[in-house]
Each structure stands twice: as structure tokens, then as C-alpha cells.
Amino acid sequence: MLYFAVAILFVAGCMAKEPIKVLIVTGQNNHNWKISSVAIEQTLENSGLFQVDIAVSPPEKSDMGAFNPNFKGYKLVVLDYNGDSWNDATNRAFLDYINAGGGLIVYHAASNTFREWKEFNKIIGFGGWGNRDESDGPYVYMKDGKVFYDSTTPGPGGSHGSQHEILLNCGDNKHPITKGLPSQWLHAKDELYNRMRGPGQVASPLYFSLSPADNGTGREEIPYCTIKYGKARIFHVTLGHAGNSLEDNRAMQCTGFQVMLLRGAEWAATRKVKQKVPADFPTATQVTYRKQYK
Ligand SMILES: [Zn+2]
């Protein structure tokens, strides 16, 4: 009997997975990072799959010399940062982490930062704002069901129309992140980034959305994708504009946003997605919410 109990404990011990260690990098942003970083932390931790630490940088225009996050101690880094340059050692440590096959999530305005850092822009694939223009790479969007790189049209990189509910179309239903999810679903009222530019390569256009011609570009923009960069696993999400508080934060309270974040995080950390598709996932006509981030 004792042997049996020990055997059961042993099997249970083997099955109980250690949570995946995640580092959120934040502290400077033109957005409400004190809300977004906590919303991401709660979404990830409430799933039971992740254990999250948050690295908060010094405030804008202060000495960044002591900001040295330990990237390599984590399976996944989430960038919620749009601000001053890091110090050289931190930049090198980030590149080492990525080149060693690290997992990365580029979230919302993190694609707006570090215009001058060429390698960073290849890693994030594309970005916007920060005076980006045609010298930063082609416009990247969907055309005829494929990722299209427009290298001929000049103009600024990065903008968005007024917020609206965003109908997402699946661009790759075989990817572990999207497998089993609906081919179309409705995301809560949010910003749909458009005119994104960059030197990188989209690996998979997970979901794209038509930016209305009268409130955007009239092009199919790509708010969810993965980026090709060496051995790294990079999930790029341009949605999730933070609200005023954790309670007033509809873009990040959207069930679809949270489920995509969780699936993208698991994939970026492990290259697999074992999560089941939840019953409360939005449909093509109905936004759903997880207001408690679980
Ligand atoms: Zn925003």
C-alpha cells in the first residue's frame, strides 16, 4: 500500500509541470504601463502555466546604467517598453538571449521603441512611430492572402484610426497558436495599428484585419504574427491599448486578447501549445470579456 502511494506521488510529481518563467520588461511607455504590465502578469499567472517577474526601468531621462534585466534567466521575455535606450550591456544581453533561441513577445507600443537600433527592428519585424519612414523598411501588410512588403511607397511608419471593434481573420490556421481557434473573431474596441514598417520577416500572419479606408488604410493590417529571426520564437501583438485602470481596460479584458496572449506565450516559451480552445472564446459577431483576467 505504501509502495502504491509512493508510486502515485512519483507519477503525479512527474506530471506536475513547473510554471514557465516569464520576465515582463516595462517602466517607460507613452501608455499606462502600470496597468498593462499588471494585466499581462495577472493573465499569465492566473492560467497556472506561468510565473512572472516584472523588470521596471528607471523613469524617462534618468541614468539607465543600472538597468540590467537578467533575460537569460527566463524562458520568455515580454516587452511592454517604449522609451529611452538601454545601456550597451543590456542591449548585448538582450541580443545574446534572442540569438540563443529565446522566446519573446512584442506587445503594443513596444513596436514603437528603439528606431535607431537596427537589429532590434529585425527582431520585432516591423514597428511604427518614432519618426520611422521608408528608410526603416517596407510597409508590411496582407494582400491577396499573403504577407506583402511594399518597398516602393514612401511615407511615415505607424498610425491608427479611432478605436473600433476589430474583426480578425485567420492568416494561418495550422500554426500552434491559432490551431482550433475560429477563422474569424471579434476583438474589443481597440487601436488597429497600420502603416507598420520594418526590416524583418513575418513568419506567420496569425490574424489580420481590414483597416477601414475612412479610418485607416483600407489595407489588411497584421495585429498578430510571428517573426522569423534565427532560432528565436517571437510573437508580435499590436493590440491591447491599456485603459485607465485594471477595471477599465476593455482591450486587455477581451477574452480573445487574453487567450491569444496565453497561447502566444506558451508557443514562444516552448514552441508548442497544449492549451485547449476555451468555450468563452469570442465569435465573429460577439466580443467576450474576462474582466478578472482569468
Ligand atoms: Zn495604444
Side-chain angles (χ1 to χ4, degrees), residues 29-31 107-109 112 129 160 163 190-191 193 238-242:
N29 208 311
N30 59 323
H31 290 71
Y107 153 70
H108 202 59
N112 304 179
W129 293 271
H160 58 76
Q163 295 197 16
D190 197 353
E191 294 165 347
Y193 281 10
T238 68
L239 298 174
H241 180 85

mmCIF file of all heavy atoms in Angstrom, residues 29-31 107-109 112 129 160 163 190-191 193 238-242, ligand 1:
data_model
loop_
_atom_site.group_PDB
_atom_site.id
_atom_site.type_symbol
_atom_site.label_atom_id
_atom_site.label_comp_id
_atom_site.label_asym_id
_atom_site.label_seq_id
_atom_site.Cartn_x
_atom_site.Cartn_y
_atom_site.Cartn_z
ATOM 1 N N ASN A 29 6.877 54.134 -21.066
ATOM 2 C CA ASN A 29 5.948 53.888 -22.163
ATOM 3 C C ASN A 29 5.085 55.130 -22.312
ATOM 4 O O ASN A 29 4.808 55.821 -21.319
ATOM 5 C CB ASN A 29 5.061 52.657 -21.859
ATOM 6 C CG ASN A 29 4.605 51.945 -23.118
ATOM 7 O OD1 ASN A 29 4.106 52.581 -24.041
ATOM 8 N ND2 ASN A 29 4.780 50.643 -23.152
ATOM 9 N N ASN A 30 4.655 55.427 -23.541
ATOM 10 C CA ASN A 30 3.682 56.501 -23.720
ATOM 11 C C ASN A 30 2.273 55.988 -23.385
ATOM 12 O O ASN A 30 1.298 56.696 -23.581
ATOM 13 C CB ASN A 30 3.717 57.032 -25.167
ATOM 14 C CG ASN A 30 3.410 55.970 -26.198
ATOM 15 O OD1 ASN A 30 3.810 54.816 -26.043
ATOM 16 N ND2 ASN A 30 2.692 56.332 -27.240
ATOM 17 N N HIS A 31 2.208 54.733 -22.905
ATOM 18 C CA HIS A 31 0.951 54.137 -22.457
ATOM 19 C C HIS A 31 1.016 53.894 -20.958
ATOM 20 O O HIS A 31 2.063 54.029 -20.339
ATOM 21 C CB HIS A 31 0.701 52.819 -23.180
ATOM 22 C CG HIS A 31 0.377 52.979 -24.630
ATOM 23 N ND1 HIS A 31 1.308 53.364 -25.555
ATOM 24 C CD2 HIS A 31 -0.781 52.820 -25.311
ATOM 25 C CE1 HIS A 31 0.742 53.436 -26.747
ATOM 26 N NE2 HIS A 31 -0.538 53.115 -26.627
ATOM 27 N N TYR A 107 4.751 43.534 -27.436
ATOM 28 C CA TYR A 107 3.365 43.896 -27.139
ATOM 29 C C TYR A 107 3.109 45.397 -27.393
ATOM 30 O O TYR A 107 3.828 46.259 -26.874
ATOM 31 C CB TYR A 107 3.048 43.518 -25.677
ATOM 32 C CG TYR A 107 1.962 44.356 -25.042
ATOM 33 C CD1 TYR A 107 0.631 44.221 -25.457
ATOM 34 C CD2 TYR A 107 2.261 45.297 -24.071
ATOM 35 C CE1 TYR A 107 -0.356 45.026 -24.916
ATOM 36 C CE2 TYR A 107 1.276 46.098 -23.520
ATOM 37 C CZ TYR A 107 -0.026 45.964 -23.945
ATOM 38 O OH TYR A 107 -1.002 46.775 -23.415
ATOM 39 N N HIS A 108 2.104 45.684 -28.179
ATOM 40 C CA HIS A 108 1.587 47.029 -28.458
ATOM 41 C C HIS A 108 2.725 48.031 -28.716
ATOM 42 O O HIS A 108 3.456 47.858 -29.677
ATOM 43 C CB HIS A 108 0.630 47.461 -27.335
ATOM 44 C CG HIS A 108 -0.335 48.558 -27.747
ATOM 45 N ND1 HIS A 108 -1.211 48.405 -28.789
ATOM 46 C CD2 HIS A 108 -0.544 49.811 -27.260
ATOM 47 C CE1 HIS A 108 -1.927 49.529 -28.924
ATOM 48 N NE2 HIS A 108 -1.523 50.401 -28.014
ATOM 49 N N ALA A 109 2.897 49.053 -27.860
ATOM 50 C CA ALA A 109 3.830 50.135 -28.181
ATOM 51 C C ALA A 109 5.301 49.742 -28.061
ATOM 52 O O ALA A 109 6.182 50.558 -28.353
ATOM 53 C CB ALA A 109 3.550 51.360 -27.299
ATOM 54 N N ASN A 112 7.112 50.476 -31.007
ATOM 55 C CA ASN A 112 7.345 51.896 -31.311
ATOM 56 C C ASN A 112 8.730 52.340 -30.852
ATOM 57 O O ASN A 112 9.166 53.452 -31.139
ATOM 58 C CB ASN A 112 6.332 52.807 -30.602
ATOM 59 C CG ASN A 112 4.868 52.490 -30.900
ATOM 60 O OD1 ASN A 112 3.993 53.142 -30.368
ATOM 61 N ND2 ASN A 112 4.584 51.494 -31.727
ATOM 62 N N TRP A 129 5.919 54.733 -35.617
ATOM 63 C CA TRP A 129 6.196 55.963 -34.881
ATOM 64 C C TRP A 129 7.707 56.178 -34.691
ATOM 65 O O TRP A 129 8.488 55.538 -35.385
ATOM 66 C CB TRP A 129 5.439 55.971 -33.546
ATOM 67 C CG TRP A 129 3.943 56.044 -33.729
ATOM 68 C CD1 TRP A 129 3.178 57.175 -33.835
ATOM 69 C CD2 TRP A 129 3.018 54.938 -33.849
ATOM 70 N NE1 TRP A 129 1.848 56.829 -34.010
ATOM 71 C CE2 TRP A 129 1.715 55.484 -34.021
ATOM 72 C CE3 TRP A 129 3.154 53.551 -33.844
ATOM 73 C CZ2 TRP A 129 0.573 54.692 -34.156
ATOM 74 C CZ3 TRP A 129 2.029 52.753 -33.987
ATOM 75 C CH2 TRP A 129 0.764 53.326 -34.136
ATOM 76 N N HIS A 160 -2.810 54.888 -36.346
ATOM 77 C CA HIS A 160 -4.044 54.122 -36.178
ATOM 78 C C HIS A 160 -5.212 55.083 -36.230
ATOM 79 O O HIS A 160 -5.083 56.247 -35.858
ATOM 80 C CB HIS A 160 -4.055 53.318 -34.875
ATOM 81 C CG HIS A 160 -3.895 54.134 -33.625
ATOM 82 N ND1 HIS A 160 -4.910 54.885 -33.108
ATOM 83 C CD2 HIS A 160 -2.833 54.314 -32.812
ATOM 84 C CE1 HIS A 160 -4.473 55.496 -32.010
ATOM 85 N NE2 HIS A 160 -3.221 55.175 -31.809
ATOM 86 N N GLN A 163 -10.540 54.219 -32.265
ATOM 87 C CA GLN A 163 -10.742 52.841 -31.809
ATOM 88 C C GLN A 163 -12.069 52.291 -32.322
ATOM 89 O O GLN A 163 -13.049 53.011 -32.424
ATOM 90 C CB GLN A 163 -10.715 52.794 -30.279
ATOM 91 C CG GLN A 163 -9.359 53.168 -29.706
ATOM 92 C CD GLN A 163 -9.188 52.727 -28.258
ATOM 93 O OE1 GLN A 163 -9.934 51.897 -27.759
ATOM 94 N NE2 GLN A 163 -8.199 53.283 -27.590
ATOM 95 N N ASP A 190 -10.562 48.821 -29.799
ATOM 96 C CA ASP A 190 -9.110 48.948 -29.578
ATOM 97 C C ASP A 190 -8.512 49.705 -30.763
ATOM 98 O O ASP A 190 -9.207 50.023 -31.736
ATOM 99 C CB ASP A 190 -8.508 47.534 -29.477
ATOM 100 C CG ASP A 190 -7.110 47.490 -28.858
ATOM 101 O OD1 ASP A 190 -6.509 48.554 -28.614
ATOM 102 O OD2 ASP A 190 -6.619 46.364 -28.635
ATOM 103 N N GLU A 191 -7.216 49.961 -30.678
ATOM 104 C CA GLU A 191 -6.485 50.566 -31.790
ATOM 105 C C GLU A 191 -6.023 49.471 -32.751
ATOM 106 O O GLU A 191 -5.438 48.486 -32.306
ATOM 107 C CB GLU A 191 -5.238 51.291 -31.266
ATOM 108 C CG GLU A 191 -5.550 52.487 -30.404
ATOM 109 C CD GLU A 191 -4.342 52.960 -29.601
ATOM 110 O OE1 GLU A 191 -3.339 52.221 -29.519
ATOM 111 O OE2 GLU A 191 -4.428 54.055 -29.048
ATOM 112 N N TYR A 193 -3.297 49.116 -35.272
ATOM 113 C CA TYR A 193 -2.099 49.761 -35.845
ATOM 114 C C TYR A 193 -2.073 49.543 -37.354
ATOM 115 O O TYR A 193 -2.397 48.460 -37.846
ATOM 116 C CB TYR A 193 -0.828 49.158 -35.245
ATOM 117 C CG TYR A 193 -0.421 49.634 -33.875
ATOM 118 C CD1 TYR A 193 -1.245 50.429 -33.078
ATOM 119 C CD2 TYR A 193 0.821 49.282 -33.360
ATOM 120 C CE1 TYR A 193 -0.849 50.852 -31.826
ATOM 121 C CE2 TYR A 193 1.237 49.699 -32.107
ATOM 122 C CZ TYR A 193 0.400 50.491 -31.332
ATOM 123 O OH TYR A 193 0.812 50.893 -30.096
ATOM 124 N N THR A 238 0.074 43.710 -31.807
ATOM 125 C CA THR A 238 -0.002 45.175 -31.770
ATOM 126 C C THR A 238 -1.260 45.655 -31.037
ATOM 127 O O THR A 238 -1.418 46.846 -30.815
ATOM 128 C CB THR A 238 0.002 45.791 -33.187
ATOM 129 O OG1 THR A 238 -1.215 45.455 -33.839
ATOM 130 C CG2 THR A 238 1.186 45.303 -34.005
ATOM 131 N N LEU A 239 -2.150 44.738 -30.652
ATOM 132 C CA LEU A 239 -3.389 45.133 -29.966
ATOM 133 C C LEU A 239 -3.124 45.327 -28.468
ATOM 134 O O LEU A 239 -2.014 45.132 -27.982
ATOM 135 C CB LEU A 239 -4.464 44.072 -30.169
ATOM 136 C CG LEU A 239 -4.883 43.830 -31.626
ATOM 137 C CD1 LEU A 239 -5.853 42.648 -31.698
ATOM 138 C CD2 LEU A 239 -5.513 45.079 -32.228
ATOM 139 N N GLY A 240 -4.194 45.706 -27.726
ATOM 140 C CA GLY A 240 -4.116 45.756 -26.269
ATOM 141 C C GLY A 240 -3.769 47.119 -25.701
ATOM 142 O O GLY A 240 -3.036 47.205 -24.708
ATOM 143 N N HIS A 241 -4.316 48.179 -26.295
ATOM 144 C CA HIS A 241 -4.112 49.529 -25.743
ATOM 145 C C HIS A 241 -4.649 49.570 -24.304
ATOM 146 O O HIS A 241 -5.811 49.266 -24.056
ATOM 147 C CB HIS A 241 -4.844 50.550 -26.616
ATOM 148 C CG HIS A 241 -4.704 51.951 -26.133
ATOM 149 N ND1 HIS A 241 -3.620 52.736 -26.465
ATOM 150 C CD2 HIS A 241 -5.503 52.704 -25.328
ATOM 151 C CE1 HIS A 241 -3.755 53.923 -25.885
ATOM 152 N NE2 HIS A 241 -4.895 53.929 -25.188
ATOM 153 N N ALA A 242 -3.775 49.944 -23.362
ATOM 154 C CA ALA A 242 -4.152 49.898 -21.944
ATOM 155 C C ALA A 242 -5.180 50.962 -21.590
ATOM 156 O O ALA A 242 -5.148 52.076 -22.111
ATOM 157 C CB ALA A 242 -2.908 50.077 -21.081
HETATM 158 ZN ZN ZN B 1 -2.092 52.467 -27.828
#
